[in-house]
Structure formats: C-alpha cells, structure tokens
Amino acid sequence: MLNTRFKTLVEDFSRHKNIDALLLTNDSNIRYLTQFPACESWALVTKTKAFYITDSRYVLEARQGLKGVAVKEYNHMPCATLLELCKQYKIKRLGFDERYTSFALWKKLKEFFPRKPKLIPATGMVESLREIKDEGEICQIRECLKLHFKAIDFMKKVVRPGLTERQIAVKLEGFVRSHGAEFSFQPIIASGPNSCFPHARFTDRVIRNNENVLLDFGIDLNGYKSDLTRNFFLGRIAPSVRQVFEALTLAQREAISLIKPGVACSTVDQQARKVLRKFKLAKYFGHSLGHGVGLDIHEAPRLSSQSTGLLEEGMIVTVEPGVYLPNKFGIRVEDMVLVTKEGNEVLSGYYHNQ
Amino acid sequence: MLNTRFKTLVEDFSRHKNIDALLLTNDSNIRYLTQFPACESWALVTKTKAFYITDSRYVLEARQGLKGVAVKEYNHMPCATLLELCKQYKIKRLGFDERYTSFALWKKLKEFFPRKPKLIPATGMVESLREIKDEGEICQIRECLKLHFKAIDFMKKVVRPGLTERQIAVKLEGFVRSHGAEFSFQPIIASGPNSCFPHARFTDRVIRNNENVLLDFGIDLNGYKSDLTRNFFLGRIAPSVRQVFEALTLAQREAISLIKPGVACSTVDQQARKVLRKFKLAKYFGHSLGHGVGLDIHEAPRLSSQSTGLLEEGMIVTVEPGVYLPNKFGIRVEDMVLVTKEGNEVLSGYYHNQ
C-alpha cells in the first residue's frame, strides 16, 4: 500500500507526464516519500508499488525501517535490478530526474534499456511536493528551532574576546551533538574582517574586543533543518557596523512584510534590495535573499530576482539579506518564515537578532 | 602560468582526447589542480590558461587564494561566463566530466552552445592523476593519521560501558575539532548488535559490558583524509566474536601481503574473500575490500571483484574486510596501505587493531 505522499506523486505523474513509473536517485526525495533516512539508494515508483533499491551495506536497516515499500538488494549494479523490475511491471516509459542523474548514469541506463523502457525527463516532481510543508513537517522544523534558540543562548555565554573561532565551533558542536542533533551544514563562525566572506567557515583567528562575530548555523533533527544567522557585537559597536546592521534589519522586515500566498518570490527579493539601495548598500548584497528549508538546507522555492514562482501557504523560507564590505566586515540577518493562509509567521521571530 | 598538475592534465588531454579545453565541475578535482579549497565552483582549463568560475559568495576568497588561475565571477548563470571564455579562447571542442555533469546541466550547456564548442565526454581525467599520490600528498595523509592515532588513544580512555554511542561521538568530535581537524565522514560508532549494520551511524544506545564497539571514522586536515576502523572489546570477549575478529585479521593480512605495483585490484579483494571462505564467513562480507583515499574519502582505485585496474606505486587504499552477522554483531578491520616501489607500507600498521 502506497502512503499518501506516494499516491499524490503517482497522481501527479499520471496526470502531467506520460510515464508509467518514476526513478528517484536523490536521497532527500526518497526520504520525503518513504520517511526513511535513505542513503545512496534508488527508488522506483510505479502506479501501484514502490521499490527501494540498495546494496548489502544498507539492506538490513532498509528492511527493518521501510513500511509499504519493497526492498530490493542489488549486487554491483543497480541498473540490472532496475531493469528486472521494469520488465516485471511492464514499464514502457520511465521518468528520471535530470538534475540527479549524471550524464554518465543516463548513458548507462540507455545501454541497459536500448528499447524499453523509454527514458523520459521528469524533473522536480518530488521537489514540488516538498515545497509545501505539512503540519508534521512544520512541527519538526519548530523542534529544530527550539534547540537552535537554546544553542544561541548557549553561544551568548560562550562568545568572548580571546577565544578563537574554532574554539567556539567546538563548543557549539558539542552542545548540538549532546542534544541529539547535528549541524545541518558546516557552521560559519566569522569574526571581524573574516565576516566579509559570505561563506566563511571558521579559522584559528582570535576574536578581539569591539568586533562583530557572525554565526550562521543550522540544526538537523531527524533530517529536518533550521538555518539562522545571528551577529554578536562584542564591546563597543562601531557606528559603521551599527548602520549596516540597522539597514539590514529594516530590509529584512520590509521583505518579510510582503510574504503571503500569491506574492512572487522575486518581489520579496527586490524589496530587500530596494531598502538597501536607499542606504547605498545594495551593491554589497551579492547573493539572493533566501531559500526554502526542509529535508535539504537549500531547497525550493528560492527568493531571488530570477525566481519565477509564487509563494504558497506552507512554504518555509529563509530571509537573509547581507552586506559584505571587502576587507572590512560583513553582516547578515537571517530568519525563517512560514507562509500562512493570510500572511506569514516568522518562526524565529520571537528570538531577535541581538 | 599553469602549475605542474595543470600541465600534466593538459598533456593528457592533448594526447588522448581531441579537445581544446576541459570543463571541471567537481570540487575535489578543482581543489587537486589548484590546491585551493574549491566550493560550488567550476574550472575551465585551456591549453595555456586556467579559469575559476564562481559567484559573489566565494569570489573574494578565490581572488586571495588562487595562484596562477584567473578568477571569473558570474551572475546567476555560470554557463554564460563559460560561453564567453570559450568564444574568447576559440574553444571548438570542450571536454566535460560525465560523472559530475547532470543530464540537466548537459542539456543547458547544449542550449548555450548550439554549435560551438562541441561537448565531448572526458571522464576521470583528473581522477586518474589523483590516484597516484605525490610526496606532499602522502605527507598530508600521514599527518591525518598521526592525529587519527591520537584520537584512537583518546577513545581508549573514553569508551566505557554505561556511555551511549552518541556521548562517545560528542567526545570524539570535540577532540578532532579542537585539534584543528574535522571528520572526513560521519563517524560510525556501533555497539553490540548495532555493529551488524555496515553503515551504522551512532544512536542513544547505552554500551554494555562484554560488548564490542566498532569505531569507523576519519580525520580531514586541509582536505586530505584518513579512514580506519577499530574494534573495542569491553569486558569478556565472546569466543564467536574473537573467532570472527581473528579470521578478519588474517584475511586483511593475507590481502595486504599481495599489495604491490602491477597486481590487479580485484586479486587483493579475492584473496580476502578466499580466507573468509575457509572460515565460512565470506557470505557475511557484502561490500568490497577497499578504496582509494585522498581528497575524497572514496576515490579511485577500488579494491573490488569488479575492478579492472592494476595497483601502482603511490596509490593509497584502505583494506577493510568485514563480517556482519544479522541481529548479532559485526566486525570490520580497516587499515590504510601505501603502494610502494617494491611492495607496500601499512600507513596505520604500527597501530594495531586492539
């Protein structure tokens, strides 16, 4: 028996794509459908059945953990197992996700399936389901944020001049791990001039007094993720730093105020840039405004000038304007926002940037 | 001026492939060539010049860190920047790595380059250079192992009945991070029956007396990696556990004894299986015997029954036979071996499985 998520997927592909079955090769997509922590595996979804194709390293966990999905173990070559299943279920047109199928794998599939099934590109079918979070998923992300807030509180006690960025990372990681979670991505702990690199990691630099420290990290609990950036200001804050911070806070607030169902993702991005333009800071804001968060730390939708989609109820996005002044400093403010029926809820809202 | 690694690559592709330039989309391959920690970037290598194509998030670090490589910043679309460079340098035939080019990206490149340059599959060109480690790389991996041994010594003091697997993971991670390193992959800490899953992670299970605890982790220092598995036996060791451990140690030793230049990778794998067959344990050894380690935790060559290559001087491989008895226990012994001119050196050899 296929679960509701599988059924929705099958309805979608039966309606929109002329395919009999869909091959999935992305762990997060498979995890979403099966609610099992998929790892280096494939899934085949026919109109009535789902298969999980894995090797000996993972087969025992898969058999114990998967409900309503048949587990098939392959030896050396998942293509052969896939071909057998396609024959058995008379699959004539097999959808595959172009983004998670390398050109090399596509060629190999073509070798295995010289005539049937025909390979049909079918991209983003699971991702589009994943854009809209259900109650259970929203609850999971709230759990991540609860622990995230605790971690920020802990950091308030930890971050002091004299410590290195790495020492702070070690303490933060210990906190996160000992609470049964892990980082959803490699944390960014960037002090003083290091903060001007949007994707800094952490170094052995000693944090000094009167500096800003940018902390961008995320909590992963059972696959779901959080993503927030906070800026710690130690000692006196230079007026230039304060001005940038205030401009960003305003840009973020104005962008968030537009978030509701039906609004274009690009409009939200543009609004933040508009505010920063007034402060002559827009040219230092190089990346896009935000991204969806769920089983992946970056997923659909994107809040970017290039985005073509509209916001919908149930989406969860980051809103993270940043300003990076080369060789001086960088600041980013980042919160997570849920699109609600009437507008939005800042999931990390009651926990302000300090 | 191209460095030696780039020059070797250009010689290779000029000789073997009929291409004017090579597009690289894999971080480890780009890192190998540039010795810069590449992140979400592309590289274009022509016969005389190398380009690093990145976006605003990474451009500042790239400009500061890259030597002899021109940094090109793209806005939204690396394909457009790539096309400009191809025009400027009159590239007619552009090689691309099929394994790191998704079908979707290949289609997009075809759209951008409807006529010229022609896209030519060129797979594994950098990987084959990376198979043979130079003195500097061997030295880097020895450094990883030095810290790895310290971490194992630390673990000997830490792993005790009453602790959970997660508590041990937290302590191990703190040790690794505070020594300026990170894990090269998510560590496996599997106690008692959990050890029967070859790719277990760690859980909240409390370790009991008279159990085995399997620790499989790796150290990452500056991108280079180590990978070892050790088994801790707490209290009394059940005779069945001891027998498996001894069979594996023998299988590993006999497999390693064959390692020298010119020997087929598959032969080494077969030897380990042959020994385990004598103990009627071969059917519980599902994965392949080992893999190369370097900038990636799994890289060429593979020691597997399917491998077609021969060992060469300078390769570094793991040798890791394992036996997993469903719902009982699992043991894996894993060391890292350097192929030398005359034979081999067990890089982790003076540090025995305990």
Side-chain angles (χ1 to χ4, degrees):
Chain A
M1 265 299 289
L2 295 180
N3 71 27
T4 319
R5 290 178 181 177
F6 273 116
K7 279 184 186 157
T8 313
L9 177 68
V10 170
E11 275 169 31
D12 278 6
F13 78 60
S14 303
R15 206 179 315 131
H16 299 300
K17 300 259 172 194
N18 189 10
I19 56 177
D20 311 316
L22 182 62
L23 171 66
L24 298 169
T25 48
N26 171 271
D27 283 342
S28 298
N29 283 341
I30 299 172
R31 184 171 194 163
Y32 174 79
L33 291 170
T34 59
Q35 296 177 271
F36 172 76
C39 194
E40 298 183 43
S41 301
W42 288 2
L44 175 70
V45 188
T46 74
K47 288 185 180 172
T48 52
K49 273 183 90 84
F51 300 92
Y52 186 82
I53 303 169
T54 193
D55 67 30
S56 73
R57 294 170 302 166
Y58 302 104
V59 74
L60 207 54
E61 285 112 318
R63 292 221 163 100
Q64 289 180 2
L66 278 160
K67 307 280 171 243
V69 176
V71 176
K72 297 281 168 187
E73 184 177 349
Y74 72 85
N75 217 342
H76 304 307
M77 198 71 89
C79 290
T81 308
L82 181 68
L83 181 61
E84 268 170 44
L85 287 169
C86 286
K87 277 185 185 166
Q88 195 180 339
Y89 289 87
K90 301 189 169 49
I91 305 303
K92 288 184 188 135
R93 295 171 63 88
L94 176 66
F96 72 100
D97 192 330
E98 303 168 279
R99 278 182 293 181
Y100 302 109
T101 303
S102 69
F103 187 79
L105 174 57
W106 176 77
K107 266 184 26 185
K108 190 167 277 296
L109 288 169
K110 292 286 268 187
E111 274 171 42
F112 267 82
F113 310 151
R115 278 179 306 185
K116 264 195 280 183
K118 203 166 168 349
L119 290 167
I120 311 291
T123 286
M125 301 218 69
V126 184
E127 283 88 336
S128 71
L129 302 181
R130 284 169 53 197
E131 283 192 59
I132 312 296
K133 271 70 184 172
D134 65 26
E135 276 309 311
E137 292 182 287
I138 295 168
C139 181
Q140 296 256 32
I141 290 173
R142 285 189 202 274
E143 287 302 310
C144 294
L145 283 165
K146 260 189 216 169
L147 180 57
H148 203 134
F149 302 148
K150 281 187 195 164
I152 294 172
D153 281 337
F154 174 70
M155 281 291 96
K156 285 185 183 171
K157 289 177 217 147
V158 166
V159 178
R160 291 286 176 271
L163 286 177
T164 66
E165 293 168 358
R166 187 182 307 278
Q167 285 169 328
I168 290 168
V170 171
K171 284 177 198 281
L172 178 59
E173 190 154 43
F175 184 91
V176 170
R177 286 273 194 214
S178 61
H179 283 77
E182 56 193 71
F183 284 135
S184 47
F185 57 92
Q186 290 282 11
I188 297 171
I189 298 173
S191 62
N194 284 357
S195 61
C196 78
F197 303 111
H199 271 242
R201 293 275 307 276
F202 49 82
T203 70
D204 290 309
R205 184 178 186 278
V206 177
I207 295 167
R208 302 187 200 155
N209 205 6
N210 305 323
E211 280 190 342
N212 66 311
V213 184
L214 184 152
L215 278 97
D216 183 356
F217 65 95
I219 300 290
D220 181 323
L221 269 174
N222 303 316
Y224 282 89
K225 293 171 178 63
S226 67
D227 185 5
L228 302 174
T229 305
R230 291 294 179 266
N231 303 276
F232 287 30
F233 300 110
L234 306 176
R236 279 178 297 109
I237 312 172
S240 59
V241 173
R242 184 188 294 277
Q243 278 160 21
V244 169
F245 180 70
E246 284 171 1
L248 284 167
T249 310
L250 186 64
Q252 191 200 37
R253 200 185 306 141
E254 293 213 3
I256 291 174
S257 73
L258 297 184
I259 292 182
K260 65 176 180 181
V263 170
C265 293
S266 59
T267 304
V268 186
D269 178 278
Q270 279 152 18
Q271 184 62 26
R273 270 169 234 283
K274 206 164 128 188
V275 175
L276 291 178
R277 213 168 291 127
K278 285 185 204 159
F279 292 89
K280 296 189 166 48
L281 292 171
K283 67 176 165 180
Y284 302 110
F285 174 32
H287 54 74
S288 57
L289 183 67
H291 53 83
V293 182
L295 286 171
D296 282 328
I297 190 66
H298 295 129
E299 56 180 51
R302 305 261 160 179
L303 301 185
S304 135
S305 61
Q306 307 293 299
S307 300
T308 50
L310 304 181
L311 292 170
E312 287 179 62
E313 186 184 350
M315 288 177 170
I316 292 180
V317 290
T318 66
V319 180
E320 47 176 316
V323 159
Y324 312 93
L325 301 169
N327 304 315
K328 289 183 182 162
F329 66 90
I331 295 182
R332 177 168 61 255
V333 297
E334 179 181 20
D335 283 280
M336 286 174 72
V337 180
L338 168 68
V339 185
T340 58
K341 199 174 174 183
E342 305 288 329
N344 70 72
E345 177 190 343
V346 184
L347 295 176
S348 49
Y350 59 93
Y351 203 91
H352 296 291
N353 282 280
Q354 71 166 44
Chain B
M1 265 300 288
L2 295 180
N3 70 26
T4 319
R5 289 178 182 177
F6 273 117
K7 279 183 185 159
T8 314
L9 178 68
V10 170
E11 276 169 30
D12 278 5
F13 78 61
S14 302
R15 207 179 315 131
H16 299 299
K17 300 260 170 193
N18 188 11
I19 56 177
D20 312 316
L22 182 63
L23 171 66
L24 298 169
T25 47
N26 171 270
D27 284 342
S28 298
N29 284 342
I30 299 172
R31 183 170 196 164
Y32 173 79
L33 292 169
T34 59
Q35 296 177 271
F36 172 77
C39 193
E40 297 183 45
S41 301
W42 288 2
L44 175 71
V45 188
T46 74
K47 288 185 180 172
T48 52
K49 272 183 91 85
F51 300 93
Y52 187 81
I53 302 169
T54 192
D55 67 29
S56 73
R57 295 170 302 166
Y58 302 103
V59 74
L60 207 54
E61 285 112 319
R63 292 221 162 100
Q64 290 179 2
L66 278 160
K67 306 282 172 242
V69 176
V71 176
K72 297 280 167 186
E73 183 177 349
Y74 72 85
N75 218 341
H76 303 306
M77 198 70 91
C79 290
T81 308
L82 181 67
L83 182 61
E84 268 171 43
L85 287 170
C86 285
K87 277 185 185 165
Q88 195 181 337
Y89 289 87
K90 301 189 170 48
I91 306 303
K92 287 183 190 138
R93 295 171 64 87
L94 176 66
F96 73 100
D97 192 329
E98 302 168 279
R99 277 182 293 181
Y100 302 108
T101 303
S102 69
F103 187 79
L105 174 58
W106 177 77
K107 265 183 28 185
K108 190 167 276 298
L109 289 170
K110 292 286 267 188
E111 273 170 43
F112 268 82
F113 311 151
R115 277 179 308 186
K116 264 196 281 185
K118 201 165 170 347
L119 290 167
I120 312 290
T123 287
M125 302 217 69
V126 185
E127 283 89 336
S128 71
L129 301 181
R130 284 169 53 197
E131 283 192 59
I132 311 296
K133 271 70 184 172
D134 65 26
E135 276 309 310
E137 292 182 286
I138 295 168
C139 181
Q140 296 256 33
I141 290 173
R142 284 189 202 275
E143 287 302 310
C144 294
L145 283 165
K146 261 189 214 168
L147 181 56
H148 202 134
F149 302 149
K150 282 188 193 163
I152 294 172
D153 280 337
F154 174 70
M155 281 291 97
K156 285 185 182 170
K157 290 178 216 147
V158 165
V159 178
R160 291 285 176 272
L163 287 177
T164 66
E165 294 168 358
R166 186 181 308 277
Q167 285 169 328
I168 290 168
V170 171
K171 283 177 199 281
L172 178 58
E173 189 154 43
F175 184 92
V176 170
R177 286 272 196 214
S178 62
H179 283 77
E182 56 194 70
F183 284 135
S184 47
F185 58 92
Q186 292 282 11
I188 296 171
I189 298 173
S191 62
N194 284 356
S195 62
C196 78
F197 304 111
H199 271 242
R201 293 275 307 276
F202 49 80
T203 70
D204 289 310
R205 183 178 186 278
V206 177
I207 296 166
R208 302 190 200 152
N209 205 6
N210 305 323
E211 281 190 341
N212 67 310
V213 184
L214 184 151
L215 278 98
D216 182 356
F217 65 94
I219 300 291
D220 182 323
L221 268 174
N222 303 314
Y224 282 88
K225 293 172 179 63
S226 66
D227 185 4
L228 303 174
T229 305
R230 291 294 179 264
N231 303 275
F232 287 30
F233 301 110
L234 306 175
R236 279 178 297 109
I237 312 171
S240 58
V241 173
R242 184 188 294 277
Q243 278 160 20
V244 169
F245 180 70
E246 284 172 1
L248 285 167
T249 309
L250 187 64
Q252 191 200 38
R253 200 184 308 141
E254 292 213 5
I256 291 174
S257 73
L258 296 185
I259 292 182
K260 65 176 181 182
V263 170
C265 293
S266 58
T267 305
V268 186
D269 178 278
Q270 280 153 17
Q271 184 62 26
R273 270 170 234 281
K274 204 164 130 188
V275 175
L276 291 177
R277 214 169 291 129
K278 286 185 204 158
F279 292 90
K280 297 190 166 45
L281 291 171
K283 66 176 165 181
Y284 302 109
F285 175 31
H287 55 74
S288 57
L289 183 67
H291 53 84
V293 182
L295 287 170
D296 283 327
I297 190 65
H298 294 129
E299 56 180 52
R302 306 261 159 177
L303 301 185
S304 135
S305 62
Q306 307 293 299
S307 300
T308 51
L310 304 181
L311 292 170
E312 287 180 61
E313 185 184 350
M315 287 176 169
I316 292 180
V317 290
T318 67
V319 180
E320 46 176 315
V323 159
Y324 312 93
L325 301 170
N327 304 315
K328 290 182 182 163
F329 66 90
I331 295 182
R332 178 167 61 252
V333 298
E334 179 181 20
D335 283 281
M336 286 174 72
V337 180
L338 168 68
V339 185
T340 59
K341 199 173 174 184
E342 305 287 330
N344 70 73
E345 178 190 343
V346 185
L347 295 176
S348 49
Y350 59 94
Y351 203 91
H352 296 293
N353 282 281
Q354 72 166 46

